[in-house]
Structures are given as structure tokens and as C-alpha cells.
Amino acid sequence: MLIMVKPSKTRSSSSKPGSSQGTSDFSSSSDATLVPALNLADHFLIAMPSMLDPVFGGTVIYLCEHNAEGALGVIINKATDMTMDVLFERIDLTLEITPGRKPINDKPVMFGGPVQVERGFVLHVPHSTYSSMMKVTDDVALTTSKDVLEAVAVGNGPPRLLVSLGCSGWSAGQLEEEISRNGWLTVRADPSIIFDVPIEARFAAAMKLLGIDPMMLAGDAGHA
């Protein structure tokens, strides 16, 4: 799903996570010896105050994949100034009004990260099978093919979804190193925070999963 437009008001930096820029293949190795001790798929990464990167500071990332080759996720609390109706117009689709479903025309498209910012990444509840879909859990899947948005346009798509431009990626061992330097807190994800909680409240909601008040978080705290 190539969308030749970049999200506004975002910049990638030299310290951005991830060195892989050209893959949307989410398959993992079948060699069990390559599976790391730390597997954070279906976890939130919550940026610590020490995360001074302008792209990732204050973010919550949903990790879709984590294996010996690296990690891939999507920022869930950083909106672009593009709305869904504009996005659909860009890809030559028209959003139809579906009875019984909340209109998403004015819903913002998210900035998922600085990797492949011209590509769409859709987090959604598993609803059907799409050509480039990775099922993370029974509650969350990631699709990068246009067919999921074609289904949404005609009212047959997933009832709960988050559409982003770009994703966040880490090379082998990079995420583990950032966590060891207290760059991120980690906690098992709650799908309702992705799909139901207002964007501006997602950081605090993710912190509450750890029983932490964001206002009390110190920059030198350890990771969970």
C-alpha cells in the first residue's frame, strides 16, 4: 500500500530506531535457536523522559514483531494533520457511510514512525484475511496491503482500526540496547488503548498499565 505523501510536522533523526528501510515482509525465522530471550511482540514501548529524540519522545509504540533479526512496531499516539477522507482520496477510494458504524472521515491518520513513510500500515482487529496481513494476536493484526482499506471504503473492513504512515524498526539487538539504556518502558499491550482511547490519552493509559503516574516518572528510572 504505497501512499506517496509524507505526514506533516514530523522529522526523522539520526538517532531514530531501526536501520532496515526496505522490507514489509514480517515473516520470522523458523530456527528456534534464533529466538531471543526477550520477545516483546504484542507489547507497548513507552518512551522514557531520557528519550530526547524529537520523533520518539513522548510516544507509545505497539510492537508487532520482535525476533533475532530485529523489531517492528507502529507509534499509536502521534497524529498527522491528514484525515482519513483525504487519505482515501489520495488512493482513489471513497469512504461510504455504513449504518451502525461510526464515521471515520475526520479521524486523523497516524505517524507510525520514520521507516517507509510513504507506505500505509494498518493495525486492526482480525476481521478477514488480507494479502499482506500479519496476525499478531487474536485481537490485533497488521496489514500493509491496500485491500484492507478497500474493504473499509465499502463498509466491509475491520470495525476497529488505526491507519498510519510509516513504521518504526530496529535492527538486531538495537531495541534491547535502547531498553538497557532506559530509553523505553515495556508492558503487555491492551488493544483498547490502540483502538478506543483518545490519541492524547494513550500515553497516560499505557503508563497506567504499569501502575505509574506519568507525572511521577523520572528520567533515570529503570525499565519494566
Side-chain angles (χ1 to χ4, degrees):
M1 184 199 310
L2 290 178
I3 305 164
M4 301 307 294
V5 59
K6 295 184 179 181
S8 63
K9 301 179 183 178
T10 56
R11 296 286 189 272
S12 60
S13 71
S14 60
S15 60
K16 69 187 179 186
S19 58
S20 299
Q21 298 290 320
T23 179
S24 58
D25 180 5
F26 304 119
S27 60
S28 57
S29 172
S30 60
D31 188 346
T33 62
L34 294 180
V35 177
L38 183 66
N39 185 345
L40 296 175
D42 191 40
H43 279 65
F44 288 141
L45 296 180
I46 307 169
M48 293 283 282
S50 57
M51 179 68 71
L52 301 179
D53 187 291
V55 173
F56 294 100
T59 61
V60 178
I61 297 176
Y62 178 73
L63 274 186
C64 303
E65 184 177 44
H66 185 206
N67 58 38
E69 297 179 355
L72 181 144
V74 175
I75 297 172
I76 65 167
N77 66 328
K78 197 168 189 176
T80 72
D81 60 2
M82 179 186 294
T83 56
M84 291 286 283
D85 54 352
V86 172
L87 171 64
F88 274 65
E89 182 180 349
R90 296 284 180 90
I91 58 176
D92 297 321
L93 293 175
T94 301
L95 273 171
E96 297 182 4
I97 298 176
T98 305
R101 290 199 179 188
K102 185 178 180 180
I104 62 171
N105 302 63
D106 296 330
K107 188 175 181 179
V109 176
M110 305 301 291
F111 172 66
V115 180
Q116 294 186 324
V117 293
E118 77 286 355
R119 182 177 292 275
F121 293 80
V122 183
L123 290 174
H124 58 90
V125 295
H127 176 73
S128 183
T129 300
Y130 304 104
S131 59
S132 295
M133 186 183 88
M134 177 181 68
K135 186 177 179 181
V136 184
T137 70
D138 290 339
D139 300 307
V140 183
L142 175 69
T143 295
T144 60
S145 49
K146 185 179 178 181
D147 52 354
V148 65
L149 295 185
E150 291 172 339
V152 171
V154 297
N156 295 325
R160 302 164 79 201
L161 77 165
L162 177 151
V163 179
S164 71
L165 295 177
C167 67
S168 302
W170 293 260
S171 58
Q174 186 178 11
L175 178 58
E176 291 84 348
E177 181 182 357
E178 292 180 6
I179 292 173
S180 71
R181 296 200 311 264
N182 297 317
W184 303 98
L185 286 168
T186 65
V187 66
R188 178 71 65 178
D190 180 347
S192 67
I193 294 177
I194 302 173
F195 302 120
D196 304 324
V197 173
I199 295 170
E200 65 277 7
R202 289 173 188 171
F203 184 89
M207 291 295 294
K208 287 180 180 178
L209 294 177
L210 290 167
I212 299 175
D213 182 347
M215 298 301 294
M216 302 297 293
L217 190 62
D220 59 352
H223 63 84

